């Protein structure tokens, strides 16, 4: 594995096996610097395994060729805040150097939680806690930002606000961003490019050139959504019935 | 009962509610004191029985005698002296026992090899009722202070070890994983994630350790002591002074309560982040 100080992500021949079960089959992946990419897949398609390898949580196998930025940050599905540390301490966790508190407070300001920096995590709502997790990722100025189904546990209204916030932060900081999701709408709403992972291979790689802000009313949005759903194996009749 | 009716038939009861307001005076909350009523009655009955000669003083002294004796023992300096001796025993025993328990729990909790070495013998030893070791302790350490302190240490080490060890192992691995992603090394993980996560159960263990330490003290002070609350009690037995025995028992009880309150106060400060302790 090579670490670089640009924002390019490059993966060649990544195979991962757990026992007799092959989760990733010689996967190749290139992410443009500063792009926003969504990784779609059914459960068990290997998307979490890929993200964990990119995050460095699982060691990459020796035969795979990985070029990753040196600053990687993750937002997990659950906020994973340390309940015994105040909000700003959670954001500043593991940061070296001085002026850490100021940096943490600025990051909290960016996610709209400036007032909560002294709060205990247990007093936050689900959406607030996930915003703290975003601030904790951003304060590290990541070149690669990995989002692992970060909004799956939030209610629909909170999710809409979080989508807008993530786009704002991405535009302001410009990290290469990879969001893992099983929500087709979320992928189309946020990403420049949508990858569909199926049985450990990239089954589809689709560029999204719908201008932002995107809405469900857009015909291109609906068409892309249909196409992605059929890539994921959801039949056309089911889509029509649901619509 | 009337509350249930008020909720059930809100429409019918509501109009009468404003009428009732002027008649209700702010009443002192008596329910807090109600719990003390029955113990008070028992003490009064005990006093009456003693005065009527139904309970002989050599069976059980009257409450008023006990109060007078407490006062005497305090003034003569006898009670403070024995209390200090007992406190010193518990303090040194706890210091040794708790630090041993913490050290062993860290060794076993933080490394697999440590667990292999430490945990099996600890789990075996813990099944042994440690108070049964008294005869062996007398043979090993004689009848001085050493067996008394050793017994208190032994009694307090196990609860701390068991709870802290399981607390360390019970820390959410997802939090540790997040800590790793955000740049914590092994030491940082232990300091910021594992130890704070294990603290709540460690403190439960500390409370058990305090309880166990008092129990050990009571037993230890039966071994040929020349000072301490246990000595006071044993000495009084020889002179049939049931009043002094009861004073000794009360002191043991108060010490136990005080120790528990101390750990609770520490918990409130150290675990201020817990949802049930956050105010507002």
């Amino acid at each position: 594995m090579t670490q670089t100080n640009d924002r390019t992500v490059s993966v060649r021949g990544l195979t991962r096996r757990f026992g007799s079960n092959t989760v990733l089959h010689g996967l190749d992946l290139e992410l443009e610097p500063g792009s926003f990419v969504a990784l779609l897949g059914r459960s068990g398609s290997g998307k979490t395994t890929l993200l964990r390898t990119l995050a460095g949580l699982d060691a990459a196998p020796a035969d795979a060729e990985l070029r990753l930025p040196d600053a990687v940050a993750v937002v997990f599905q659950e906020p994973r805040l340390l309940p015994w540390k105040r909000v700003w301490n959670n954001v500043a966790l593991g940061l070296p150097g001085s002026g850490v508190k100021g940096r943490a407070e600025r990051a909290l300001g960016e996610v709209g939680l400036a007032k909560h920096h002294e709060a205990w995590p247990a007093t936050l709502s689900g959406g607030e806690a996930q915003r703290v997790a975003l601030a904790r990722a951003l304060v590290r100025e990541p070149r690669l930002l990995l989002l692992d189904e970060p909004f799956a546990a939030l209610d629909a209204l909170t999710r809409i606000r979080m989508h807008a916030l993530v786009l704002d932060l991405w535009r302001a900081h410009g990290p290469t961003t990879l969001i893992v999701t099983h929500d087709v709408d979320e992928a189309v709403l946020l990403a420049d490019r949508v990858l569909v992972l199926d049985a450990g291979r990239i089954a589809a790689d689709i560029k999204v050139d719908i201008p932002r802000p995107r809405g469900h009313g857009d015909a291109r949005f609906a068409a892309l959504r249909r196409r992605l759903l059929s890539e994921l194996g959801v039949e056309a009749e089911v889509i029509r019935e649901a619509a | 009962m009337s509350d249930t009716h008020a909720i059930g038939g809100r429409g019918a009861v509501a109009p009468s509610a404003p009428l009732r307001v002027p008649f209700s005076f702010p009443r002192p909350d008596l329910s807090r004191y109600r719990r003390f009523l029955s113990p008070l009655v028992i003490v009064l009955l005990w006093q009456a029985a003693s005065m009527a000669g139904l309970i002989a003083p050599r069976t059980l002294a009257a409450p008023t005698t006990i109060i007078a004796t407490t006062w005497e023992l305090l003034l003569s300096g006898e009670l403070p002296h024995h209390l200090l001796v007992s406190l010193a025993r518990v303090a040194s025993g706890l210091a040794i026992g708790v630090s041993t328990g913490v050290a062993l729990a860290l060794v076993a909790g933080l490394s697999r090899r440590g667990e292999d070495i430490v945990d099996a013998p600890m789990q075996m030893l813990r099944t042994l009722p440690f108070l049964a070791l008294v005869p062996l302790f007398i043979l090993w350490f004689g009848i001085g202070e050493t067996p008394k302190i050793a017994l208190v240490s032994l009694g307090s080490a196990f609860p701390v070890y068991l709870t802290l060890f399981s607390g360390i192992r019970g820390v959410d691995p997802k939090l540790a994983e997040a800590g790793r992603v955000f740049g914590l090394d092994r030491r940082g993980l232990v300091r910021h994630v594992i130890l704070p996560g294990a603290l709540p159960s460690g403190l439960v263990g500390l409370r058990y350790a305090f309880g166990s330490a008092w129990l050990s003290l009571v037993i230890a002070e039966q071994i040929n002591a020349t000072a301490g609350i246990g000595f006071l009690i044993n000495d009084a037995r020889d002179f049939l002074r049931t009043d002094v025995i009861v004073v000794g028992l009360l002191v043991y009880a108060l010490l136990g309560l005080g120790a528990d309150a101390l750990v609770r106060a520490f918990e409130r400060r150290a675990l201020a982040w817990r949802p049930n302790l956050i105010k507002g």
Side-chain angles (χ1 to χ4, degrees):
Chain A
M1 194 190 97
T2 332
Q3 285 199 329
T4 61
N5 60 359
D6 62 31
R7 292 174 297 162
T8 314
V9 172
S10 161
V11 175
R12 294 246 164 278
L14 176 63
T15 299
R16 297 234 46 166
R17 285 189 192 87
F18 294 111
S20 61
N21 184 19
T22 308
V23 182
L24 295 175
H25 276 279
L27 185 118
D28 296 336
L29 176 68
E30 300 279 339
L31 301 183
E32 296 273 305
S35 60
F36 198 134
V37 180
L39 185 64
L40 269 176
R42 284 176 292 189
S43 41
S45 59
K47 49 190 201 303
T48 298
T49 306
L50 176 58
L51 182 127
R52 290 181 62 86
T53 308
L54 295 180
L57 285 169
D58 294 341
D63 56 346
E65 214 181 287
L66 262 76
R67 276 170 52 87
L68 294 173
D70 51 5
V72 181
V74 189
V75 177
F76 298 98
Q77 183 172 345
E78 329 79 31
R80 299 201 192 182
L81 304 178
L82 300 176
W84 44 85
K85 287 192 181 291
R86 292 185 189 272
V87 162
W88 79 263
N89 278 122
N90 263 289
V91 173
L93 186 75
L95 283 184
S98 57
V100 162
K101 186 169 187 186
R103 283 166 66 194
E105 285 176 359
R106 269 195 300 284
L108 281 167
E110 274 193 82
V111 299
L113 288 176
K115 279 187 202 147
H116 291 68
H117 64 104
E118 289 285 356
W120 294 113
T123 61
L124 302 177
S125 69
E128 285 168 343
Q130 203 56 307
R131 267 145 70 195
V132 175
L134 261 177
R136 180 176 60 182
L138 278 176
V139 77
R140 278 143 236 276
E141 288 155 22
R143 295 196 171 86
L144 173 60
L145 177 62
L146 300 168
L147 307 170
D148 186 10
E149 303 190 26
F151 314 126
L154 301 177
D155 66 88
L157 291 175
T158 310
R159 195 150 56 216
I160 290 170
R161 276 193 224 108
M162 292 293 279
H163 286 157
L165 176 65
V166 161
L167 281 176
D168 283 347
L169 295 171
W170 170 67
R171 278 195 209 102
H173 295 265
T176 305
T177 303
L178 181 70
I179 182 170
V180 164
T181 179
H182 51 233
D183 181 345
V184 172
D185 286 13
E186 187 168 273
V188 179
L189 208 58
L190 296 176
D192 299 323
R193 186 179 158 205
V194 181
L195 304 171
V196 178
L197 201 63
D198 188 31
R201 289 192 181 86
I202 289 175
D205 183 346
I206 299 160
K207 211 171 150 47
V208 185
D209 44 15
I210 308 169
R212 293 188 177 94
R214 298 167 186 163
H216 289 79
D218 198 311
R220 287 169 294 181
F221 191 106
L224 184 54
R225 185 174 177 274
R226 257 198 308 280
R227 184 174 160 202
L228 286 169
L229 280 170
S230 76
E231 289 284 354
L232 288 165
V234 182
E235 296 300 322
E237 297 87 67
V238 181
I239 303 169
R240 223 170 291 129
E241 255 170 57
Chain B
M1 278 309 277
S2 62
D3 284 350
T4 337
H5 281 295
I7 291 162
R10 193 182 298 164
V13 176
S16 71
L19 285 176
R20 277 198 286 169
V21 172
F23 298 109
S24 70
F25 292 98
R27 277 192 315 178
D29 190 8
L30 287 175
S31 60
R32 284 183 61 192
Y33 305 102
R34 201 182 295 163
R35 286 179 56 80
F36 297 102
L37 199 63
S38 137
L40 190 70
V41 169
I42 291 172
V43 171
L44 287 176
L45 284 176
W46 172 8
Q47 178 68 31
S50 294
M51 284 165 76
L54 292 173
I55 303 176
R58 62 156 61 183
T59 308
L60 193 59
T64 45
T65 320
I66 291 165
I67 292 167
T69 308
T70 311
W71 188 240
E72 258 169 53
L73 287 171
L74 277 173
L75 282 186
S76 68
E78 224 176 324
L79 188 58
H81 165 68
H82 292 299
L83 184 60
L84 278 179
V85 171
S86 287
L87 275 177
R89 281 174 190 148
V90 166
S92 23
L94 271 175
I96 297 168
V98 170
S99 38
T100 310
V102 169
L104 289 174
L106 291 181
V107 170
L110 298 179
S111 81
R112 285 284 159 204
R113 197 177 301 160
E115 181 183 354
D116 290 343
I117 296 168
V118 173
D119 195 53
M122 286 301 276
Q123 298 291 349
M124 284 180 211
L125 279 179
R126 124 193 128 89
T127 59
L128 198 72
F130 67 96
L131 295 175
L133 289 173
V134 169
L136 213 50
F137 273 28
I138 293 175
L139 287 178
W140 292 346
F141 306 119
I143 50 171
E145 288 300 286
T146 320
K148 300 181 179 65
I149 292 171
L151 204 64
V152 175
S153 306
L154 198 68
S156 53
F158 281 98
V160 170
Y161 170 81
L162 293 170
T163 53
L164 192 58
F165 174 66
S166 80
I168 289 173
R169 285 302 162 87
V171 170
D172 186 355
K174 286 182 168 183
L175 290 182
E177 192 178 82
R180 272 211 330 270
V181 170
F182 293 116
L184 291 183
D185 55 8
R186 177 88 190 137
R187 270 184 60 189
L189 271 182
V190 170
R191 194 176 140 210
H192 296 292
V193 182
I194 296 174
L195 289 187
L199 189 63
S201 75
L203 285 178
V204 171
L206 190 64
R207 267 163 74 182
Y208 280 127
F210 272 56
S212 173
W214 295 121
L215 186 66
S216 317
L217 182 79
V218 173
I219 304 297
E221 290 191 334
Q222 313 279 323
I223 317 168
N224 212 340
T226 53
I229 299 297
F231 165 77
L232 193 69
I233 292 175
N234 274 345
D235 196 45
R237 183 198 57 203
D238 294 342
F239 296 98
L240 306 176
R241 289 287 302 272
T242 52
D243 51 341
V244 179
I245 293 179
V246 174
V247 173
L249 295 180
L250 286 175
V251 170
Y252 274 141
L254 287 176
L255 287 174
L257 272 178
D260 205 56
L262 208 69
V263 183
R264 276 167 190 271
F266 179 70
E267 263 183 6
R268 268 196 298 278
R269 284 185 61 84
L271 306 181
W273 50 269
R274 288 211 293 197
N276 53 345
L277 294 175
I278 297 170
K279 290 178 187 72

